[in-house]
């Protein structure tokens, strides 16, 4: 997805004085429609705008945007060099917009209410950007937890998502996979295989998931594989089993 489409759509919404959700029902939707007439492209635009808007609000919560975070954002969205200045301007506009992050988060939740997996992708994308400078800071964690709550994730689900990105101590592979340490290994293996099927990039491509979400899923699948490999080690199971 060309970032120029994203920039144009978000700029239109901001100029109209409207938060994210109004991209779809008002005049800015028609503006976007000229660039993204089909549903797949519109979903990609909307998903990317969600990352732009909530990343900007996260930067405001944290108080600073490091170069490494900016680089992570650029890599995630595959921004061409010629669009960097425009993206920065839109990012700053969103960061200083009078609308609170909670309004953006609720609108994103409503836009993807039938696709909770995409809401998880948004959270994973935010974690990806937040941790790029080597740590997810306390203000960022508080912000991410509040966004997750608005998205409808319960505290345990948030801990599972967080575990893929932040280790308060040694890696808890059981939490990453959403399983219990007391479970039989065969049950854990079945849960692992289900997660691999659900989050494999090839399957997501077949479902028409936005390309930005596929990049996020690739990183998530790596975390799932690493967690399962650690459980194999802890259970003294051969990796090939």
């Amino acid at each position: 997805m060309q970032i120029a489409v994203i920039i144009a759509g978000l700029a239109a919404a901001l100029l109209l004085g409207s938060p994210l959700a109004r991209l779809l029902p008002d005049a800015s939707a028609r503006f976007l429609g000229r660039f993204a007439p089909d549903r797949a492209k519109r979903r990609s635009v909307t998903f990317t705008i969600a990352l732009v808007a909530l990343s900007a609000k996260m930067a405001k919560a944290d108080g600073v945007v490091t170069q490494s975070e900016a680089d992570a954002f650029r890599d995630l969205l595959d921004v061409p060099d010629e669009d960097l200045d425009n993206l920065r301007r839109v990012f700053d506009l969103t960061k200083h917009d009078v609308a609170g992050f909670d309004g953006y988060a609720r609108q994103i939740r409503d836009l993807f209410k039938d696709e909770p997996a995409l809401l998880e992708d948004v959270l994973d994308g935010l974690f990806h950007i937040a941790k790029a400078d080597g740590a997810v800071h306390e203000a960022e964690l508080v912000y991410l937890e509040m966004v997750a709550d608005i998205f409808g994730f319960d505290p345990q689900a948030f801990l599972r998502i967080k575990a893929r990105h932040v280790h308060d101590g040694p890696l808890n592979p059981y939490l990453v996979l959403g399983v219990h340490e007391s479970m039989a290994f065969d049950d854990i293996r079945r849960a692992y295989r289900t997660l691999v099927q659900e989050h494999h990039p090839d399957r997501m491509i077949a479902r028409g998931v936005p390309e930005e979400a596929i990049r996020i899923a690739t990183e998530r699948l790596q975390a799932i594989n690493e967690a399962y490999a650690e459980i194999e080690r802890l259970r003294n199971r051969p990796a090939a089993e």
Side-chain angles (χ1 to χ4, degrees):
M1 174 60 60
Q2 292 183 353
I3 197 66
V5 177
I6 311 305
I7 292 168
L10 185 51
L14 290 171
L15 288 172
L16 287 167
S18 58
L20 180 66
R22 297 182 190 175
L23 281 173
L24 297 182
D26 66 12
S28 57
R30 294 191 294 275
F31 180 84
L32 266 178
R34 298 206 307 269
F35 296 93
D38 63 76
R39 182 174 181 271
K41 289 182 180 179
R42 289 177 67 85
R43 288 171 74 232
S44 183
V45 169
T46 304
F47 180 86
T48 305
I49 290 174
L51 282 180
V52 174
L54 288 181
S55 296
K57 294 299 184 181
M58 183 168 64
K60 185 175 182 179
D62 185 47
V64 63
V65 180
T66 66
Q67 184 58 49
S68 54
E69 287 175 333
D71 290 343
F73 187 86
R74 176 184 176 183
D75 292 342
L76 192 62
L77 299 184
D78 193 20
V79 183
D81 290 341
E82 61 267 24
D83 284 327
L84 284 177
D85 287 342
N86 286 329
L87 181 60
R88 290 189 189 100
R89 281 194 288 271
V90 171
F91 188 89
D92 288 339
L93 276 171
T94 311
K95 184 170 67 174
H96 298 298
D97 181 30
V98 294
F101 81 91
D102 52 336
Y104 281 84
R106 288 190 185 93
Q107 292 157 15
I108 293 163
R109 175 199 63 198
D110 293 342
L111 289 170
F112 294 133
K113 62 184 178 182
D114 297 325
E115 300 179 88
L118 278 178
L119 293 174
E120 188 165 337
D121 291 334
V122 172
L123 279 173
D124 273 322
L126 292 172
F127 267 109
H128 173 84
I129 294 165
K131 70 182 182 182
D133 61 354
V136 180
H137 302 288
E138 186 60 31
E140 292 171 324
L141 273 177
V142 170
Y143 171 85
L144 289 165
E145 188 168 7
M146 289 189 292
V147 170
D149 181 63
I150 292 171
F151 281 1
F153 293 100
D154 62 32
Q156 188 63 26
F158 176 73
L159 288 177
R160 174 178 54 79
I161 296 168
K162 174 186 171 186
R164 295 198 288 259
H165 304 277
V166 180
H167 304 152
D168 297 326
L171 171 70
N172 184 339
Y174 298 98
L175 184 57
V176 172
L177 297 186
V179 298
H180 299 290
E181 191 171 351
S182 60
M183 289 174 62
F185 182 76
D186 286 347
D187 293 333
I188 292 174
R189 180 168 51 197
R190 278 192 288 271
Y192 160 72
R193 288 175 174 171
T194 297
L195 286 174
V196 169
Q197 290 177 350
E198 289 175 351
H199 298 293
H200 196 284
D202 289 346
R203 182 168 183 176
M204 296 182 73
I205 291 171
R207 282 171 31 217
V209 167
E211 61 190 74
E212 296 82 8
I214 293 169
R215 293 190 187 98
I216 294 168
T218 300
E219 180 178 316
R220 180 166 59 227
L221 186 60
Q222 179 181 347
I224 290 170
N225 286 332
E226 289 174 354
Y228 182 70
E230 177 63 10
I231 291 176
E232 285 183 321
R233 187 190 68 78
L234 293 172
R235 298 286 184 105
N236 294 315
R237 298 279 180 156
E241 185 175 346

